[in-house]
Amino acid sequence: MSNDKQVHVLGLSGGKDSAALALYMRDKHPEVDLIYYFTDTGKELPEVIDFVNRLEGYVGKKIIDPYEEICTSNREKKDFDYWLKQHNNYLPSPQARWCTIQMKLVPFEKWIQRYLDDGYEVVTYVGIRSDEPYREGYQVTANKNITVRMPFREDDIDLQGVKDILQNADLFADTEEAKGNPNSSQAKGLPGYYDWRSRSGCTFCFYQRKIEWVRLRELHPEAFEEAKRYEKAAENDKGDGTFYWLGKDTPLSSLEDPDRVARIKSEHEKKRARFLKRKRINPLQVISIDVDRDFMDEMYDDQEGGGACVTCYK
Ligand code: SF4
């Protein structure tokens, strides 16, 4: 399909692949006049917001938020509480992921619909790497006026290629962490959350593993307390013991028990040790932060992203 009227868009999730793609497109394909966008749910990790701001500086263009482009109602704007109420206080979960739909996909669709209504072809760029299996699902819609491009697949850029792009851009070079700790994520051009969590997204994302909830509590106690409040409200409303992000009858407050936290940490250490053994890696030659950052999904026998969709973690 070709159309004289084209608009090129690239969505950032706060994750490494879409960020590397933005850097790559700026440097290797400056002829493409891209619109970069990031759909902020209002509940993103502070490290994600910092990352997006740094990317904005590097690409030299405003990264727009589809919300701001299309929202006519202030209530709907980045308002998790509003949407929670619309869903009868049912917290989002892998089975009912209304958060991604309402807070990311719908604003995006409404935003590009304006271009489509205006007779534009929309070309959307996605950071699927050459080492990932092709999934038809990346075709965001059957609309023949929307084309999906995957430059990393086209140009044979794999995971190491993505890491190299981020390392070379060195977006965090000015931070104390990058200067003082060569093993930190920031020293490798990655946002700081990769030191303790395997994916971007909301502070209370239910795709977190127990160890990541524990770390959220340690590193962002106010965000953890907020997540607890959401659970408490759902508990009061439903009262059936099922609405806990850690599973039935397991509220987040259970992580206030030091013994339980110690058990979760110890289980994670064991998992890491088993993984290293399976991979025949000498544990004395690696740093645990690197293992968590690079292999968390593999360690937990999970697919990359742990079931989260590309919109939230890629
Ligand atoms: S990051 Fe998690 S909680 Fe946030 S919108 Fe995506 S799936 Fe939902």
Side-chain angles (χ1 to χ4, degrees):
M1 156 99 225
S2 74
N3 182 340
D4 287 344
K5 287 173 79 173
Q6 281 190 333
V7 62
H8 299 261
V9 302
L10 191 159
L12 294 156
S13 66
K16 63 182 181 319
D17 293 316
S18 59
L21 183 59
L23 303 174
Y24 184 76
M25 292 302 291
R26 193 210 82 150
D27 292 340
K28 300 286 183 198
H29 296 284
E31 74 285 0
V32 181
D33 186 16
L34 273 165
I35 301 176
Y36 300 94
Y37 69 92
F38 170 66
T39 315
D40 179 356
T41 64
K43 298 292 177 185
E44 308 285 340
L45 287 167
E47 294 100 317
V48 169
I49 301 298
D50 177 48
F51 191 33
V52 173
N53 288 339
R54 285 168 189 272
L55 284 166
E56 189 170 67
Y58 191 97
V59 298
K61 274 185 179 179
K62 181 170 166 52
I63 294 174
I64 70 128
D65 186 338
Y67 262 120
E68 318 222 318
E69 303 293 311
I70 53 102
C71 251
T72 49
S73 155
N74 278 338
R75 271 192 321 165
E76 291 179 24
K77 194 175 171 189
K78 297 182 188 176
D79 192 343
F80 177 78
D81 297 315
Y82 170 81
W83 288 114
L84 184 60
K85 212 165 169 193
Q86 298 301 305
H87 289 81
N88 297 322
N89 280 338
Y90 276 92
L91 293 176
S93 65
Q95 296 73 36
R97 214 174 64 204
W98 56 259
C99 47
T100 317
I101 294 169
Q102 295 297 354
M103 303 184 74
K104 294 224 176 229
L105 297 178
V106 170
F108 169 72
E109 283 167 5
K110 282 188 182 168
W111 171 56
I112 60 166
Q113 191 59 46
R114 289 182 173 180
Y115 289 105
L116 295 170
D117 290 347
D118 242 4
Y120 278 87
E121 176 191 358
V122 175
V123 185
T124 175
Y125 293 73
V126 185
I128 307 300
R129 306 181 310 259
S130 62
D131 56 331
E132 294 180 279
Y134 177 74
R135 292 180 236 162
E136 291 292 337
Y138 293 130
Q139 181 66 42
V140 289
T141 167
N143 189 318
K144 64 183 184 350
N145 288 324
I146 299 178
T147 305
V148 178
R149 292 281 306 270
M150 301 181 198
F152 286 161
R153 289 186 66 82
E154 292 165 21
D155 297 346
D156 201 19
I157 308 280
D158 60 10
L159 179 58
Q160 188 54 50
V162 160
K163 288 180 180 174
D164 291 345
I165 291 167
L166 290 163
Q167 177 86 72
N168 292 337
D170 212 3
L171 294 179
F172 298 94
D174 63 314
T175 64
E176 291 308 311
E177 191 63 19
K179 286 182 204 160
N181 181 0
N183 295 313
S184 65
S185 291
Q186 294 188 349
K188 294 171 194 289
L190 291 161
Y193 68 79
Y194 278 119
D195 281 348
W196 61 276
R197 182 168 136 162
S198 59
R199 61 186 68 88
S200 52
C202 302
T203 53
F204 49 68
C205 185
F206 39 84
Y207 285 112
Q208 285 175 100
R209 301 181 177 95
K210 288 189 199 99
I211 186 70
E212 294 171 323
W213 279 108
V214 165
R215 292 167 176 174
L216 178 74
R217 179 166 178 260
E218 289 171 353
L219 294 165
H220 295 290
E222 62 309 319
F224 182 82
E225 288 303 315
E226 181 183 55
K228 242 173 65 186
R229 282 197 296 278
Y230 282 126
E231 267 197 351
K232 192 78 195 154
E235 179 186 58
N236 290 341
D237 192 55
K238 309 292 169 208
D240 61 1
T242 56
F243 273 83
Y244 299 119
W245 275 312
L246 289 172
K248 187 166 164 44
D249 293 324
T250 316
L252 286 175
S253 58
S254 65
L255 298 183
E256 280 152 18
D257 173 1
D259 290 343
R260 178 158 159 73
V261 168
R263 273 200 307 280
I264 291 170
K265 287 185 176 178
S266 154
E267 277 161 23
H268 180 68
E269 294 299 325
K270 281 186 203 150
K271 228 172 224 311
R272 187 192 291 136
R274 279 200 298 274
F275 171 80
L276 292 175
K277 198 168 169 197
R278 200 166 75 226
K279 285 281 191 187
R280 295 171 194 266
I281 300 171
N282 181 347
L284 299 176
Q285 288 175 342
V286 290
I287 296 161
S288 54
I289 200 177
D290 289 340
V291 184
D292 277 10
R293 179 172 51 232
D294 294 339
F295 301 110
M296 183 76 103
D297 290 324
E298 223 181 309
M299 227 190 289
Y300 281 79
D301 293 325
D302 233 339
Q303 62 188 47
E304 190 175 342
C309 73
V310 291
T311 314
C312 291
Y313 85 92
K314 202 98 199 60

